[in-house]
Amino acid sequence: MSATTAMEVTIEARRILAVSISKLYASRTQRGGLRLHRSLLLSLVMRSARDIYHSSRESEVLSGAQSAPEEPMDTSSSPGEQTRLPEPQPEPQPVLNSTETAPEEPDNTEDGCDSEIIEDKENLSPAKQSRKRRGKASAAPDFLPSKRARLEPGEERYEVPLGSCRAGESLTTLSLNRVIPAF
Amino acid sequence: MLCAGPGGGSNDVQWCFSQVKGAIDDDVAEADIISTVEFNQSGELLATGDKGGRVVIFQQEQESKNKLQCRGEYNVYSTFQSHEPEFDYLKSLEIEEKINKIRWLPQKNAAHFLLSTNDKTIKLWKISERDKRPEGYNLKEEDGQYRDPNTVTTLRVPVFRPMDLMVEASPRRVFANAHTYHINSISVNSDCETYLSADDLRVNLWHLEITDRSFNIVDIKPANMEDLTEVITAAEFHPNQCNTFVYSSSKGTIRLCDMRAAALCDSHAKLFEEPEDPNNRSFFSEIISSISDVKFSHSGRYMMTRDYLSVKIWDLNMESRPVETYQVHEYLRSKLCSLYENDCIFDKFECCWNGNDSVVMTGSYNNFFRMFDRGYQQDMTLEASRENSKPRSVLKPRKVSTGGKRKKDEISVDSLDFNKKILHTAWHPLDNIIAVATTNNLYIFQDKLN
């Protein structure tokens, strides 16, 4: 069940990411030029979608792998993820929300969620180190073409399989850090 | 000054249709989309700006004792092209002519002055009346053609003779080249000599007489643009204290700055921020917490902010949280994903106070607009539509059904037309007259006089 929900979340996050990217590209041809405020908000949504996408992909992979001795904490935390998911909601957002919170805060219910999901480092399981996730997150999602992106210093190259591409050849791999400096 | 309430309950104010301006047909020309609405300080003049760069000013007729309704109608007073589309050759960018904001200067003589701005340039316009014209020139004919000097045999003194009233608008100052980013706000200082203009990252202070120089008073541009986390969304001067202004951010914070403290007001005197409700955390929390408008109350004691779903009233003496919060259309919270896809989540709604700060108003979708009475704690939803446009017809309050059962006369959330949005509203400073802009029409409503 958690695999299905995680997959739904993955699909939703991927869809939102694709919608955001197309909005960003469309705004380039808008009259008056790129709007900084709108681009900032788009990049915030894209960042959240990207992070959620990768974290739910991880949980998909983990729930798929029956035994993972090198990652004992994850199998114990996945029941925590299951209990944390609310009743099925018509809108995907609350599901996204709960998946976002579950990896960060398996132990407490009080802290508010943060857009920066790597905040709560103390409570992260060792397998979900923020550094490791960031490295994965900065790589291209698999639904974009695998054109090699220019890396930021410190980023690691992560091999991405060719996946279904929604936007076509003109859509190059987008490093989110380069969105705002375009101004 | 009339005491205004939204209606219903113990405070019976009923709003009536008065006038509607603009084209009737549904096919809206993009240039006709209204982008700003502003009354002047006396309420006699009402200015609108549109996407085509035009400014239209309406003037209220003098009160007629004959008519039942002794408030004058608003008729076109002046129309002029304020801004034209421009091209920035260096950046290969077109600069839109859309009027983002209009602000009136306090009137000092017979002429009226207003500031209008597009994304990059602010202009000071003088609107003056001419009802006399000199006649009897010696060297010119009446039609303006020059006479042959040899035919002049007598000399006469030209005299002023009455003529049909002509209203002229002339640009007196052009304040250009001071903003790298898009201007979102202008605000005239209570000293009537200076004004501020704000773009996404900077706030500049101008003197109304000096166009070739402005002072940068706020700069939130980070050294590395990759570190950008918030932008300025609105700014306004305090109505009474000429040293104080506020600016709001895309993160939902408001900073109050005192220009006496330092030349550069990057560090705020006060920071107004409400802690986020963790129960409402969602994927689009950041977008909906972005403040789209900030307005001081006329008294200067309070300020109001508008974010996507709510209106908040802040006491300037309390930074930790607003003193009042009004939900504009909470039923949209579960629809944020769809609103993101159709771009509605990026809509920037404005808000306004009534003359005695007892009621606040803001727009919504489906051509609905909302009023919140702070004293009686009542709220009302009204609709601006041609169907309710019989003269002096009382507007019926509207209701959006949020639960499963839809009552009669209620409208369900799914039937709302998100293309019909009211972003700009204005309240007459001294009377219960409101101007509400739909996409390309301007509605004027007033309360029912008994």
Side-chain angles (χ1 to χ4, degrees), chain B residues 152-189:
Chain B
V152 177
T153 52
T154 57
L155 279 180
R156 54 189 174 165
V157 177
V159 291
F160 276 101
R161 294 211 190 278
M163 60 177 261
D164 289 339
L165 178 68
M166 202 166 75
V167 181
E168 299 170 323
S170 58
R172 306 300 286 175
R173 305 272 187 277
V174 177
F175 304 91
N177 303 320
H179 286 280
T180 310
Y181 302 96
H182 297 103
I183 297 174
N184 52 54
S185 312
I186 47 174
S187 177
V188 183
N189 201 346

Side-chain angles (χ1 to χ4, degrees), chain A residues 12 15-16 20 23 31-38 40-42 44-45 48-49 52 91 93 96-97 112-115 177-178 180-181, chain B residues 85 93-94 96-97 119 182 200-201 225-226 228-231 233 250 278 281 283-284 286-287 290 333-334 336-337 340-341 343 346 348:
Chain A
E12 186 59 26
R15 191 177 68 81
I16 287 175
S20 306
K23 281 187 194 297
R31 273 193 84 208
L34 277 170
R35 305 251 151 205
L36 185 61
H37 184 198
R38 184 185 161 94
L40 177 69
L41 295 176
L42 283 174
L44 289 172
V45 172
S48 299
I52 287 165
E91 285 289 318
Q93 285 151 224
L96 287 173
N97 179 30
C113 308
D114 217 286
S115 61
N177 286 340
R178 304 310 278 174
I180 298 302
Chain B
L93 282 180
E94 196 179 359
E96 272 192 287
E97 66 276 27
D119 284 337
H182 297 103
D200 294 312
L201 297 179
M225 279 296 269
E226 292 178 13
L228 182 75
T229 54
E230 66 181 328
V231 297
T233 52
S250 54
R281 184 88 184 93
F283 199 43
F284 304 101
E286 277 133 347
I287 299 188
S290 177
R333 193 181 287 276
S334 55
L336 293 179
C337 200
Y340 178 71
E341 287 179 40
D343 270 358
F346 298 103
K348 295 186 184 169

Side-chain angles (χ1 to χ4, degrees), chain A residues 102-152:
Chain A
E104 300 163 47
E105 299 160 56
D107 299 327
N108 73 69
T109 52
E110 285 175 20
D111 287 357
C113 308
D114 217 286
S115 61
E116 290 296 319
I117 62 172
I118 53 174
E119 287 296 302
D120 199 8
K121 287 181 181 142
E122 297 84 75
N123 291 330
L124 280 178
S125 56
K128 292 190 197 295
Q129 288 303 316
S130 59
R131 197 170 300 168
K132 184 179 180 185
R133 185 190 295 137
R134 192 185 291 142
K136 282 182 98 172
S138 64
D142 63 358
F143 58 90
L144 291 176
S146 62
K147 193 167 174 181
R148 286 191 163 235
R150 185 158 52 101
L151 290 177
E152 299 301 308

Side-chain angles (χ1 to χ4, degrees), chain B residues 2-114:
Chain B
L2 290 178
C3 188
S10 53
N11 189 32
D12 272 327
V13 171
Q14 289 183 303
W15 288 95
C16 307
F17 171 84
S18 175
Q19 297 170 268
V20 60
K21 308 284 188 190
I24 298 174
D25 51 309
D26 286 333
D27 203 12
V28 179
E30 188 156 332
D32 293 337
I33 294 173
I34 298 172
S35 50
T36 185
V37 181
E38 186 83 355
F39 279 101
N40 74 336
Q41 281 79 5
S42 66
E44 183 205 357
L45 298 178
L46 175 60
T48 62
D50 65 23
K51 249 191 150 183
R54 290 168 303 207
V55 171
V56 180
I57 302 175
F58 302 93
Q59 183 190 42
Q60 192 178 27
E61 274 175 11
Q62 293 299 315
E63 288 175 14
S64 166
K65 294 194 175 78
N66 296 333
K67 289 182 182 171
L68 274 169
Q69 199 159 31
C70 54
R71 284 197 190 103
E73 277 197 345
Y74 282 86
N75 299 316
V76 177
Y77 180 63
S78 175
T79 304
F80 56 93
Q81 186 76 32
S82 171
H83 288 72
E84 298 274 4
E86 285 173 56
F87 199 79
D88 181 342
Y89 293 98
L90 201 60
K91 294 179 187 170
S92 289
L93 282 180
E94 196 179 359
I95 300 169
E96 272 192 287
E97 66 276 27
K98 175 170 77 95
I99 308 296
N100 292 335
K101 285 281 166 10
I102 289 173
R103 289 289 182 262
W104 290 93
L105 266 58
Q107 193 176 8
K108 286 183 183 171
N109 51 40
H112 298 276
F113 288 87
L114 62 79

